[in-house]
Amino acid sequence: MLNKFDIQIREGQEHAVIETAGYLNDALGEQLSEKARELIQNGHTQLVINLEKTTLINSIGISILIEIIEALEEREGTLNFCGLSATQERTFKMMALAKYAGIFPDEESAIANL
Amino acid sequence: MSKEGKSVSLEHKVLLTIPMYPDMELAAAKTASVLAELMDFEEGQVEEIQLAIIETCINAFEHSQSDDNAVHIEFLLSEDQLQFKIMDRGVGITPDILDGTRLLGSPSVHPDLRKRGRGLQIVRSLMDEVDIESSSNGTTVSVIKRKSRRTA
């Protein structure tokens, strides 16, 4: 497998951070979706997805991020992204993700703005 | 352009064929990345080129139905631009895929948050020129990315 990926979870009192590493495609996206679903079911409706170690995100990965935004909306939750490259931020804006989720430069500000 | 005075600019051609297997688009993206770095593209532009080639390859993987199960890529390097042609020998792509109006996957509750079918839109937004030729004998997507002019 060319794509080596990893997911780390950091749970706070009211929020949780999901940090992904690798190429965000369907395979990593499905794992990310599963972790997000578990967190939401356990009451974490304030989520940060840290993409600092995620080098590339394809359109399938973006579609999975949209599903997480929708799952959180159903629970009146919030999602913030951080650690995006300039190209990733531009793509998120073009695909309207930035309308429904926050984009922040680092994890600290993403958590503070939940 | 580069290290130790060596240049890769003057109309060099690099050919690559990848099988249509999961993640093989990364092989094309990594090749593009190496070439773009050798040509002194800026870091952000290298990432844009990688993403464009990934989306184009995924489109071929998903829609071409080609018998040879392969994508053929031709990189053309010149002084101020990188051109790549991504070719498959499949059945051709339909107009609704070309213009991004084909609905793939489950619809979103927000009309502007379309989940699938936006790969070519991403490619067009990141690259300087995109040309698509498609017939029942296959599809060729030709893409050009020009170097940005750096300010001193």
Side-chain angles (χ1 to χ4, degrees), chain A residues 29-65:
Chain A
E30 279 164 21
Q31 288 204 12
L32 169 62
S33 175
E34 194 178 320
K35 297 282 184 195
R37 227 176 14 245
E38 283 172 18
L39 287 165
I40 294 167
Q41 279 170 1
N42 292 334
H44 287 293
T45 54
Q46 308 291 307
L47 293 185
V48 168
I49 298 180
N50 185 338
L51 297 165
E52 193 176 351
K53 296 175 183 166
T54 301
T55 46
L56 290 163
I57 305 172
N58 72 17
S59 55
I60 303 171
I62 289 175
S63 71
I64 289 166
L65 295 175

Side-chain angles (χ1 to χ4, degrees), chain B residues 3 7 9 14 18 24 30 37 49 69 72 81 91 99 109 112 114 128 134-135 138-140 145:
Chain B
K3 293 167 184 169
S7 170
S9 65
V14 175
I18 57 170
M24 283 310 296
K30 284 182 191 294
E37 283 171 11
I49 291 166
N69 207 34
H72 311 274
Q81 69 179 37
V91 297
D99 65 18
V109 290
D112 54 351
R114 259 186 48 212
D128 293 305
S134 192
S135 72
T139 300
T140 298
K145 183 67 173 177

Side-chain angles (χ1 to χ4, degrees), chain A residues 2-111:
Chain A
L2 282 172
N3 182 28
K4 291 178 181 160
F5 55 76
D6 185 40
I7 295 181
Q8 299 290 327
I9 308 288
R10 293 184 281 281
E11 293 184 48
Q13 291 257 320
E14 295 175 357
H15 72 270
V17 177
I18 308 173
E19 183 180 41
T20 56
Y23 168 41
L24 183 43
N25 59 357
D26 50 346
L28 174 56
E30 279 164 21
Q31 288 204 12
L32 169 62
S33 175
E34 194 178 320
K35 297 282 184 195
R37 227 176 14 245
E38 283 172 18
L39 287 165
I40 294 167
Q41 279 170 1
N42 292 334
H44 287 293
T45 54
Q46 308 291 307
L47 293 185
V48 168
I49 298 180
N50 185 338
L51 297 165
E52 193 176 351
K53 296 175 183 166
T54 301
T55 46
L56 290 163
I57 305 172
N58 72 17
S59 55
I60 303 171
I62 289 175
S63 71
I64 289 166
L65 295 175
I66 291 172
E67 287 174 0
I68 296 172
I69 290 172
E70 291 173 343
L72 279 167
E73 278 191 341
E74 283 177 12
R75 302 283 192 102
E76 296 183 348
T78 308
L79 175 64
N80 285 341
F81 293 106
C82 66
L84 276 72
S85 69
T87 303
Q88 288 166 350
E89 187 169 337
R90 188 172 150 196
T91 309
F92 278 29
K93 285 178 178 166
M94 187 188 73
M95 296 189 75
L97 275 78
K99 246 173 98 174
Y100 303 97
I103 296 177
F104 295 90
D106 52 53
E107 194 171 307
E108 194 179 13
S109 58
I111 292 170

Side-chain angles (χ1 to χ4, degrees), chain B residues 21-39:
Chain B
Y21 293 145
D23 291 348
M24 283 310 296
E25 70 276 15
L26 279 180
K30 284 182 191 294
T31 303
S33 168
V34 169
L35 296 174
E37 283 171 11
L38 280 170
M39 292 176 70

